[in-house]
Structure formats: structure tokens, C-alpha cells
């Protein structure tokens, strides 16, 4: 029988790729969206459900006759008055409540790499706090912790476009970001498999310096990479915590902390960051 799937966060970078790949594999898909005008972003979906995850009353019935739930709900930057706890934690908790009511077969949630080890960060207090609730729910679950998305790496392109890229320390910390198309395939494979938790990265492991050089080459810029002393990164985090609210410092705390260590996940996929950068430059999408 064809499995019926709900994709929450369907209009996001990963959500759109999930809808495409699910339909390619023959699943029936209901896309959770926020407004009528978003339908065109996920036109392949079989059905749409309009709701706000932060407003539980709007979610009633969203999981009727659903077997699998994929939630990519989360925010990188806290805006429109919404915090990580509002969206990443409470919003997903509202979804989970609906899943428990209808007793869905399986619930997959997308957190981020090393989230389970960095719970002191504001973003992971929310994300991994929800993971705890998911595990306690009694539902069969999957938790995917991907490395950075290709779309996140556009920040390097933006810096490179100014002619110079700034890094901290020696720029030798490594990562392997992943393309949304590859990650969507992995998410579905893991949903269909038995392993409950995994980290996921792209095929190319590179240092921050190599990544910066890649961005500069894509823009035909000279290789100008400035490595700042690491204590400056530490000071920036401390000053932001001291003088701004968590809504402001949360994203910077996350990115600056991630830059201080290797973030290498098991490699998957076939798409390469070099090609993504070249495509973005051709589109003038920087």
C-alpha cells in the first residue's frame, strides 16, 4: 500500500526537496504550508494543509490518515517575534501532539550536527529539547542531524564577493556540507530503515580555508583569506551575550561555536559544493 506522508516545513530548502523525492518514489504527500500562495512552491504535493505550527488549534486534523511525518520545522535566525523555543521546540511539540492523537507510524525530525553535544547553545536547547520529547512520546522516531546545507554556505560567497574572507584561528577546522537533494534522499532512506539516529554530511570534506578559497575562485577573485586570532571569536560571543538578547545573539553563537571545531559527518550524496557555488554565481544569487 502507498504510504501517506506529511511534510512539515514543506516550503523550506529541505522541505521542497523532500516533496520532490517522495513523489518520485511514489509516496502520497500532504504538504503543511502557511498560506494559499505557498502552494506553487510545492505544487507536486497531492494535498495541502494550511496551518501555523505555533498555533496548535490550526493543526487539528493535519495528520488524519497519515503514516509518516517529516518535520523540517526550525528557524536559523529568530525574527518576526519568534524564538527557537517558539518554533523549533513548541512548534514541533504541537506537531508531535497531533501525531500522537492519530498514532502515526513514524515521525522523522531534522535537527543539526552535534546538536546532542551542544545543548548549552540557545538553538539546541530548543531542537534537542524537542528530540527528548519525541523519544518520550512512544512513537517510532528518526532523528537526522545534518551538517551545514549548501544554502548556508552562501555566507562564504557573500564574503568572497567583497574580495576577502575572514576566518578564525588557522582556518583548518573541517566540515562537509550537504546539498538539499542528497539530504532528502538520505532522510527518506533512514525513514524506511531501522536506525533511529544518524549524522549526515556531503561527499566533500574540506577545511574552512579550502571552502573560502572555493568561494573566491567561483567569483574569479584573488585568494585573500584573513585568519583572525581565535580569542576574537570568543570575545564576540561573550559581548553579544552580555549586550544583546538571545534573539540577537542566538544565530551568531551557533555559527561562531561551529567554526571552532571540526564538523564532519558520514558522507552521502553526489552533489558538490563547487558546482553549487558556480550555479549561484551564474544566477547572480549572492
Amino acid at each position: 500500500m502507498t504510504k501517506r506522508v506529511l511534510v512539515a516545513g514543506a516550503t523550506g530548502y529541505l522541505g521542497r526537496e523532500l516533496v520532490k523525492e517522495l513523489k518520485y518514489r511514489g509516496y502520497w504527500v500532504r504538504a503543511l504550508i502557511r498560506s494559499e500562495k505557498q502552494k506553487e512552491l510545492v505544487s507536486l504535493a497531492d494535498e495541502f494543509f494550511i496551518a501555523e505550527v505555533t498555533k496548535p488549534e490550526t493543526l487539528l486534523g493535519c495528520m488524519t490518515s497519515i503514516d509518516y511525518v517529516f518535520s523540517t520545522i526550525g528557524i536559523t535566525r529568530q525574527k518576526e517575534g519568534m524564538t527557537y523555543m517558539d518554533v523549533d521546540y513548541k512548534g514541533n511539540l504541537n506537531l508531535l501532539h497531533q501525531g500522537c492523537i492519530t498514532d502515526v507510524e513514524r515521525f522523522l525530525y531534522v535537527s543539526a550536527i552535534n546538536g546532542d553535544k551542544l545543548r548549552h547553545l540557545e538553538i539546541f536547547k530548543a531542537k534537542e529539547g524537542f528530540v527528548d520529547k519525541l523519544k518520550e512520546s512512544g512513537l517510532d522516531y528518526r532523528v537526522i542531524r545534518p551538517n551545514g546545507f549548501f544554502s548556508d554556505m552562501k555566507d562564504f560567497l557573500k564574503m568572497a564577493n567583497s574580495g576577502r574572507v575572514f576566518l578564525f584561528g588557522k582556518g583548518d577546522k573541517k566540515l562537509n556540507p550537504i546539498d538539499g537533494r542528497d539530504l532528502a534522499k538520505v532522510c527518506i532512506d533512514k525513514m524506511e530503515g531501522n536506525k533511529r539516529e544518524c549524522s549526515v554530511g556531503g561527499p566533500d570534506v574540506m577545511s574552512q580555508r579550502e571552502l573560502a578559497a572555493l568561494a573566491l575562485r567561483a567569483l574569479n577573485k584573488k585568494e585573500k583569506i584573513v585568519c583572525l586570532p581565535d580569542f576574537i571569536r570568543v570575545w564576540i560571543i561573550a559581548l553579544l551575550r552580555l549586550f544583546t538578547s538571545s534573539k540577537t545573539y542566538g544565530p551568531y553563537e551557533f555559527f561562531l561555536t561551529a567554526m571552532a571545531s571540526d564538523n564532519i559527518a558520514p558522507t552521502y550524496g553526489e552533489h558538490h559544493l563547487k558546482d553549487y557555488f558556480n550555479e549561484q554565481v551564474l544566477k547572480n544569487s549572492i
Side-chain angles (χ1 to χ4, degrees):
M1 293 179 63
T2 300
K3 293 291 186 182
R4 295 169 65 90
V5 176
L6 175 78
V7 178
T11 60
Y13 174 73
L14 175 57
R16 292 195 301 272
E17 299 300 339
L18 271 171
V19 171
K20 291 176 189 174
E21 185 64 21
L22 284 163
K23 289 306 302 173
Y24 176 76
R25 297 195 191 192
Y27 285 88
W28 184 94
V29 178
R30 178 182 294 156
L32 187 67
I33 58 177
R34 296 174 63 188
S35 64
E36 284 280 344
K37 65 182 181 181
Q38 289 186 322
K39 287 182 177 180
E40 62 187 42
L41 297 175
V42 281
S43 57
L44 290 176
D46 297 282
E47 188 175 286
F48 301 94
F49 195 99
I50 299 174
E52 295 272 0
V53 295
T54 56
K55 299 177 181 178
E57 68 278 6
T58 68
L59 292 168
L60 297 175
C62 71
M63 294 190 194
T64 300
S65 73
I66 289 296
D67 300 302
Y68 292 166
V69 178
F70 288 81
S71 177
T72 68
I73 293 293
I75 53 176
T76 303
R77 291 176 172 82
Q78 300 172 104
K79 55 185 179 180
E80 298 176 4
M82 292 293 177
T83 66
Y84 296 132
M85 291 303 294
D86 292 330
V87 180
D88 296 61
Y89 179 73
K90 292 179 183 176
N92 278 296
L93 204 56
N94 291 335
L95 283 172
L96 180 59
H97 180 63
Q98 293 301 313
C100 290
I101 289 174
T102 58
D103 195 25
V104 296
E105 184 177 335
R106 202 165 289 166
F107 193 116
L108 181 145
Y109 173 63
V110 180
S111 181
I113 191 169
N114 292 329
D116 51 337
K117 302 178 184 70
L118 297 171
R119 287 171 173 259
H120 62 286
L121 301 183
E122 291 294 325
I123 190 169
F124 289 125
K125 285 179 186 177
K127 287 183 179 296
E128 294 298 322
F130 172 70
V131 170
D132 293 340
K133 293 298 184 182
L134 178 58
K135 291 179 178 180
E136 294 168 5
S137 70
L139 295 179
D140 191 10
Y141 67 87
R142 302 288 182 270
V143 177
I144 307 295
R145 295 186 177 93
N147 214 321
F149 297 164
F150 277 10
S151 57
D152 298 328
M153 300 302 110
K154 284 178 68 174
D155 287 338
F156 281 87
L157 269 183
K158 289 174 183 176
M159 276 196 289
N161 199 39
S162 69
R164 186 167 297 167
V165 177
F166 292 91
L167 302 173
F168 294 99
K170 297 178 181 178
D172 59 347
K173 302 305 181 185
K174 294 182 178 181
L175 68 163
N176 57 324
I178 187 166
D179 184 82
R181 292 166 290 184
D182 291 330
L183 181 55
K185 292 176 182 178
V186 176
C187 286
I188 300 167
D189 289 344
K190 297 301 180 183
M191 180 71 99
E192 294 171 343
N194 297 316
K195 191 174 182 180
R196 286 188 159 181
E197 300 183 50
C198 72
S199 296
V200 178
D204 303 320
V205 178
M206 64 189 80
S207 69
Q208 294 168 11
R209 178 179 281 278
E210 289 170 330
L211 200 160
L214 197 67
L216 288 161
R217 284 198 298 272
L219 289 156
N220 291 316
K221 302 278 188 179
K222 291 182 179 179
E223 189 169 315
K224 292 184 179 179
I225 301 171
V226 179
C227 290
L228 303 171
D230 192 60
F231 70 80
I232 295 177
R233 178 191 63 81
V234 177
W235 280 2
I236 292 172
I237 294 175
L239 290 171
L240 286 169
R241 283 178 177 167
L242 186 62
F243 293 109
T244 68
S245 69
S246 63
K247 287 185 179 181
T248 300
Y249 75 69
Y252 296 102
E253 176 189 56
F254 169 48
F255 290 123
L256 290 171
T257 300
M259 292 186 76
S261 60
D262 290 327
N263 289 287
I264 304 171
T267 59
Y268 296 86
E270 58 186 12
H271 294 92
H272 301 278
L273 188 60
K274 176 182 177 181
D275 298 326
Y276 175 79
F277 278 172
N278 289 335
E279 289 167 7
Q280 295 303 304
V281 170
L282 285 173
K283 292 178 183 175
N284 197 24
S285 175
I286 304 170

